[in-house]
Amino acid sequence: MTGTARVQPEPVHRSSGGTGSGLSPALAPAIAEALACAGEGLEALLCAGSHATGEAVWVTVDGHALSLSDLDLYAVLSSAALCNRARARARARRVERLAAGAGVLAGPLEIAFVTREGLAAMPARPAT
């Protein structure tokens, strides 16, 4: 074998070449809805599933981008009490959330409200 493997040690800053990815700007209304549901104490908003892996299915309808894939998000909040409040807000905003995503998402906007500890206890999944 010739040459040397070039492996970057962890952690890697997300703006380093070859790391991280951005969401489509078309998803901005859905992200805004997730932020509104999360409310105070939000530490991170992670995208998971097909949008995180770059495998989401997009089509163009009447000249506008439409994702056929659901949008899976993890809203990491600073306490379990804030997670409970965020879940209640999300339930109360259900109709608004569906209407807000109707122009961009054909699939559902799915938000899991978790603490850091709760997220750490889950099995590893691709996320951005």
Side-chain angles (χ1 to χ4, degrees):
M1 179 173 173
T2 61
T4 307
R6 294 173 59 196
V7 177
Q8 226 173 355
E10 294 289 341
V12 176
H13 191 275
R14 79 169 298 235
S15 64
S16 298
T19 64
S21 62
L23 286 176
S24 166
L27 294 174
I31 298 301
E33 186 61 31
L35 294 173
C37 290
E40 65 180 285
L42 181 67
E43 296 181 346
L45 186 62
L46 306 173
C47 178
S50 61
H51 283 282
T53 62
E55 298 171 339
V57 177
W58 288 88
V59 296
T60 302
V61 177
D62 296 329
H64 298 328
L66 178 69
S67 174
L68 300 180
S69 302
D70 63 340
L71 178 56
D72 301 301
L73 301 173
Y74 290 95
V76 182
L77 298 164
S78 57
S79 74
L82 290 175
C83 288
N84 290 335
R85 286 188 218 144
R87 285 184 200 104
R89 266 192 302 280
R91 280 191 300 274
R93 295 175 62 98
R94 180 169 169 73
V95 172
E96 291 176 45
R97 182 172 68 245
L98 293 175
V104 178
L105 296 174
L109 169 59
E110 298 179 352
I111 312 166
F113 300 99
V114 298
T115 60
R116 286 181 186 209
E117 296 79 15
L119 184 65
M122 294 179 180
R125 293 183 175 92
T128 301

